[in-house]
Amino acid sequence: QVQLVESGGGLVQPGGSLRLSCTFSGFTANYYTVGWFRQAPGKEREGVSCIMGYAGRTSYADSVKGRFTISRDSAKNTVYMQMNTLKPEDTGVYYCAVQPGILGECRLQRLYNYWGQGTQVTVSS
């Protein structure tokens, strides 16, 4: 049974930091692609970052480059996203998604079959 559990969301002031975690289980593939997506109120869900393959290749949306860092602990089947210098426009529900194998465009949500329940991130003073 596939399970994805996200944690780490919350309320933070502008300029603050949060670390999101995504722990997954129930997969049997050797390699995975894991993506973080977010959906702001009234907006479509967008790809924020992703990590994949043996080398852990990463990709970031332009809006978060230099502020967010995705990493993983393969032994724990957990992917993290460290979010620094948060802005009000980073507010939204953050979802992790997992897909066995290596995706060519890992920030495309349509390529993922497995999704977490989401965790709320609110950046406000």
Side-chain angles (χ1 to χ4, degrees), residues 20-96:
L20 304 184
S21 300
C22 173
T23 300
F24 55 94
S25 61
F27 296 95
T28 58
N30 290 326
Y31 298 108
Y32 305 93
T33 300
V34 180
W36 283 101
F37 297 80
R38 69 184 179 190
Q39 187 164 22
K43 294 187 177 181
E44 294 186 354
R45 190 161 55 186
E46 63 173 345
V48 177
S49 68
C50 49
I51 186 167
M52 60 182 166
Y54 179 79
R57 183 163 66 91
T58 59
S59 176
Y60 296 92
D62 288 343
S63 58
V64 306
K65 281 181 181 176
R67 300 188 298 122
F68 290 11
T69 303
I70 190 170
S71 61
R72 67 186 180 188
D73 184 335
S74 297
K76 297 181 179 179
N77 278 352
T78 299
V79 170
Y80 306 97
M81 185 164 70
Q82 178 68 40
M83 306 187 295
N84 297 330
T85 319
L86 282 161
K87 304 176 181 180
E89 52 262 43
D90 294 317
T91 294
V93 179
Y94 283 70
Y95 301 88
C96 76

